[in-house]
Amino acid sequence: MRALLWRDIRIGIRAGGGALIGVLFFLTVVAVVPFGVGPDLNLLSRIGPAILWIGALLAALLGLDRLFQGDREDGTLDLLLMQEHPLALTVLIKCLAHWVVSGLPLVAASPLLGLFMNVEPLAIGATTLTLLVGTPAVTFIGAVGAAVAVALPRGGLLVSILVLPLAIPILVFGVSAAYAAVEDPAPFLPPFLILTAITLLFSVIGPVAAAAALRASTD
Amino acid sequence: MRLVAENLGASRGGDPVFSGLSFSLAAGEALIVTGPNGVGKSTLLRVIAGLLRADTGLIALERDHGAEAGVLAENSHYLGHRNGMKRELTVSENLDFWQTFMVMEGDAARMPVADACAVLNLDHVLHLPYGYLSAGQQRRIAMARLLLSHRRLWILDEPTAALDLAAEEAFAGMVNRHLDDGGLAVIATHQPLAIARQATLSMRARAQDEGALS
């Protein structure tokens, strides 16, 4: 299993920047917002955490369809399906590797992009922390969508649409936790803990559902 | 150890491809599946590998006294049309991965990656990215995977496509050694293979009178 983790991370880094594309998309989304809403620093700093979260969510959705498609195209998926290892565990490991390659760079880039939006340091910290906890959930849910759409040659957008409704709670609680860190009356901990719970829940449901979808999709 | 199929039938996209197929293969034997394109050879192999569900019938690996000997898929190597290797990784990274991933704890009979490649005369390309190799070399590396971990049944779908004569011979030697060790093999092919103990299953286009076993 550790071998699979390392292999997927290595491919993600080497395959010509799957990781980089997500970060670039994130950068693009965040960079155009100040041009769109105008140079009102107070407004920017107020909407900053939300824009960061939306940008990260879209960037995370962008690369999801590749989760199983590469393995399917070269026949690796057939072999993964035939092994003694529980398939759900294999999927979980693939999700973790995918998150390390495409989710973690988004988290790492968010403080810098927060500066673009004139977000204050505490809010930047809160946003980065919520992204760190919340983006794995996007990957786990996305695995289900990616598994359902694995047989479709252009499944990318379909995956995003399938996954988006389920990703909304992550966005809601992520953004509210980030805001709660700076706005006084709202408590930070409850939405943050709910976000953590969502991630843990989907880390169980996602791989199991994705494994079932992969088994059903063989042809 | 026997591979037993009874009244096997499968379909693709709702259309039946073959039905009523029965055969039995003893340890040390290879089943050569022949027939024209589209007759269902690959489908049969995918059914055996557990990648497609059979519509009717069953297939299992049985011990000599009739008990089932583990899950068929977990005791099989499957080499399909696609090689299951990553173009971005080097040959040795690819093979190392499959070896670590396929050999379960406590299993024996693994061959070092370099030795497996030497069997197929490819030990000089270990450091190259897999994508740089020619089609025939890629196929041979995929074959080397069969040697990395011991599995009783080899399921090979047109293994010798794109191979030169020397590689074909090396491949036949590999299969013969596997059979000598008490292994089984199911091979779909269009080319005659120099395999010692083989039975032939010729599939015909008509769905009713499938499977003349000779």
Side-chain angles (χ1 to χ4, degrees):
Chain A
M1 279 295 144
R2 206 179 300 143
L4 180 64
L5 183 69
W6 283 120
R7 184 196 74 135
D8 273 20
I9 291 175
R10 221 181 262 150
I11 292 168
I13 293 168
R14 225 176 274 176
L20 210 60
I21 285 177
V23 176
L24 281 177
F25 182 76
F26 189 22
L27 176 77
T28 319
V29 170
V30 176
V32 296
V33 169
F35 296 104
V37 301
D40 179 349
L41 287 182
N42 287 331
L43 177 65
L44 281 180
S45 109
R46 210 164 59 241
I47 62 171
I51 297 294
L52 285 178
W53 251 99
I54 292 171
L57 178 69
L58 294 179
L61 291 176
L62 189 67
L64 276 177
D65 61 312
R66 298 300 302 166
L67 192 52
F68 301 113
Q69 212 146 52
D71 277 351
R72 186 191 150 78
E73 280 160 10
D74 61 20
T76 306
L77 189 61
D78 289 341
L79 299 175
L80 293 180
L81 285 168
M82 285 175 65
Q83 302 309 312
E84 213 168 319
H85 308 285
L87 187 58
L89 188 63
T90 306
V91 172
L92 177 73
I93 298 292
K94 284 193 71 67
C95 289
L96 287 178
H98 185 266
W99 179 77
V100 168
V101 172
S102 64
L104 205 53
L106 299 178
V107 177
S110 61
L112 180 71
L113 297 178
L115 292 177
F116 285 18
M117 300 293 293
N118 191 36
V119 181
E120 52 186 288
L122 184 61
I124 288 183
T127 309
T128 310
L129 186 63
T130 50
L131 281 176
L132 181 69
V133 172
T135 44
V138 181
T139 308
F140 291 132
I141 304 168
V144 184
V148 169
V150 69
L152 306 174
R154 291 275 173 275
L157 189 64
L158 182 65
V159 175
S160 305
I161 290 169
L162 283 176
V163 165
L164 202 58
L166 290 166
I168 294 298
I170 307 169
L171 183 67
V172 169
F173 287 105
V175 171
S176 57
Y179 275 122
V182 279
E183 284 168 6
D184 229 1
F188 170 73
L189 218 48
F192 182 73
L193 288 180
I194 291 178
L195 184 66
T196 318
I198 290 175
T199 301
L200 291 176
L201 180 71
F202 280 129
S203 73
V204 177
I205 295 177
V208 173
L214 285 177
R215 284 246 185 258
S217 77
T218 51
D219 62 350
Chain B
M1 192 69 61
R2 305 181 68 79
L3 176 69
V4 181
E6 276 167 30
N7 192 29
L8 211 56
S11 56
R12 279 214 140 153
D15 289 340
V17 180
F18 60 82
S19 60
L21 198 62
S22 301
F23 61 83
S24 159
L25 193 65
E29 281 182 353
L31 182 68
I32 309 291
V33 184
T34 59
N37 293 134
V39 79
K41 299 188 294 297
S42 295
T43 306
L44 172 64
L45 262 55
R46 288 183 74 81
V47 168
I48 297 175
L51 295 167
L52 271 181
R53 207 160 294 148
D55 290 346
T56 59
L58 45 89
I59 180 149
L61 209 53
E62 288 178 355
R63 289 188 203 288
D64 293 331
H65 45 83
E68 203 166 321
V71 182
L72 186 54
E74 291 167 8
N75 283 294
S76 309
H77 271 304
Y78 175 69
L79 180 64
H81 289 285
R82 291 167 295 186
N83 290 328
M85 298 278 172
K86 291 288 173 196
R87 304 177 57 83
E88 301 88 4
L89 302 180
T90 67
V91 170
S92 60
E93 279 170 341
N94 267 309
L95 292 176
D96 278 337
F97 162 70
W98 281 120
Q99 180 155 64
T100 341
F101 194 73
M102 283 184 152
V103 177
M104 297 302 281
E105 237 170 285
D107 281 6
R110 50 155 77 184
M111 190 186 262
V113 167
D115 293 0
C117 288
V119 171
L120 290 145
N121 304 320
L122 271 180
D123 38 345
H124 55 285
V125 299
L126 280 172
H127 62 285
L128 290 176
Y130 185 72
Y132 287 10
L133 305 183
S134 75
Q137 287 177 320
Q138 292 189 345
R139 197 63 177 161
R140 276 148 73 189
I141 293 299
M143 282 174 179
R145 188 179 58 224
L146 305 175
L147 300 170
L148 296 177
S149 65
H150 178 71
R151 302 267 166 112
R152 289 196 189 86
L153 175 62
W154 287 4
I155 304 167
L156 314 175
D157 201 349
E158 290 180 37
T160 51
L163 288 195
D164 58 29
L165 279 176
E168 247 175 65
E169 270 167 33
F171 165 72
M174 210 174 105
V175 174
N176 280 329
R177 266 193 304 284
H178 172 66
L179 298 178
D180 287 343
D181 289 345
L184 300 92
V186 178
I187 306 172
T189 185
H190 294 292
Q191 286 145 319
L193 297 169
I195 290 168
R197 286 182 303 282
Q198 49 171 278
T200 306
L201 175 70
S202 42
M203 299 179 77
R204 277 181 248 113
R206 294 295 304 154
Q208 288 83 9
D209 52 8
E210 280 303 331
L213 192 58
S214 63

